Amino acid sequence: MTQDQLIVLINNKDEKAFTHIYNMYSKSLFSVISNLIRDTEEAEDVLQESFVKIWKNIHTYDTGKGRFYTWILNIARNSAIDKLRSKGYGNSKKNLDAENFVSLIEEPNKLNYKIDAIGLREFVNKLKPKCVQLINLLFFQGYTQQEASDELEIPLGTVKTQNRSCINDLRKFLKV
């Protein structure tokens, strides 16, 4: 059965065809989602939500506008981004149980050791102080650009520009 035939069957709400599409694409979509959402259970929920959206919105898919895989990939990616931006998700991540930090308290240099083990800290420390601070916030502490803007009390546009510049500087160091 071809992909086009499967899409027609899904349009007709054929559950067997939907199961076939799920089996074909769930692993790759889950990979994309879990790259954005690090929590496995949350990523699985987003995958399920994505397939529900695919099921409900299959009638909007237009073969003339692109490949089916690209269409469902965008649905999954947008669902993950929506989840990350949702207030509930953000608040649940702010209120983590103290148990999540026990290993950091017991081994305070563990994170620094991992970063040093791959040699990244050496390169980051070669950057300008503002770059070190920005990269620490955005990449090591997981701040969004808006959160970094608020923390550093500088405009969002400046954070974006500095981030781009700092990453380019880091790329130059890594090429050496």
Side-chain angles (χ1 to χ4, degrees):
M1 184 175 304
T2 69
Q3 183 175 304
D4 291 336
Q5 291 170 326
L6 285 171
I7 293 169
V8 168
L9 290 173
I10 293 172
N11 260 320
N12 294 328
K13 302 302 181 197
D14 183 309
E15 291 179 21
K16 288 180 183 176
F18 181 78
T19 301
H20 191 71
I21 294 284
Y22 180 87
N23 290 336
M24 285 174 61
Y25 296 112
S26 62
K27 287 181 183 176
S28 61
L29 295 182
F30 182 74
S31 176
V32 169
I33 293 167
S34 62
N35 278 330
L36 293 168
I37 298 177
R38 300 290 181 190
D39 182 288
T40 303
E41 287 180 25
E42 293 283 347
E44 289 170 350
D45 288 345
V46 171
L47 179 66
Q48 182 177 355
E49 291 169 18
S50 299
F51 273 100
V52 169
K53 288 177 184 176
I54 291 165
W55 177 258
K56 288 182 176 179
N57 297 306
I58 190 72
H59 65 280
T60 66
Y61 171 65
D62 181 0
T63 57
K65 291 185 178 179
R67 294 178 33 215
F68 179 70
Y69 179 73
T70 305
W71 184 74
I72 65 172
L73 185 66
N74 283 330
I75 289 174
R77 184 179 167 279
N78 290 339
S79 296
I81 291 169
D82 290 345
K83 182 66 155 185
L84 288 171
R85 290 180 178 166
S86 72
K87 244 183 191 168
Y89 182 80
N91 288 339
S92 72
K93 297 304 169 199
K94 287 181 182 174
N95 300 322
L96 294 175
D97 190 318
E99 290 297 317
N100 293 320
F101 301 101
V102 169
S103 64
L104 291 176
I105 293 169
E106 291 172 353
E107 299 177 53
N109 294 324
K110 189 174 183 179
L111 179 61
N112 286 333
Y113 174 75
K114 287 182 179 177
I115 293 168
D116 287 338
I118 60 172
L120 189 57
R121 175 66 64 196
E122 174 187 337
F123 292 106
V124 171
N125 287 336
K126 289 181 181 180
L127 298 172
K128 300 172 210 160
K130 70 178 183 180
C131 287
V132 173
Q133 185 180 27
L134 189 60
I135 288 176
N136 279 330
L137 288 175
L138 294 174
F139 297 97
F140 298 129
Q141 294 180 28
Y143 280 51
T144 64
Q145 289 181 336
Q146 182 62 57
E147 291 168 337
S149 169
D150 296 341
E151 177 75 20
L152 299 173
E153 297 178 351
I154 58 176
L156 178 60
T158 303
V159 168
K160 291 179 179 185
T161 301
Q162 286 181 357
N163 181 36
R164 198 172 314 114
S165 174
C166 293
I167 295 300
N168 285 335
D169 290 346
L170 188 57
R171 282 187 183 123
K172 290 175 190 170
F173 287 132
L174 290 174
K175 285 183 181 178
V176 173

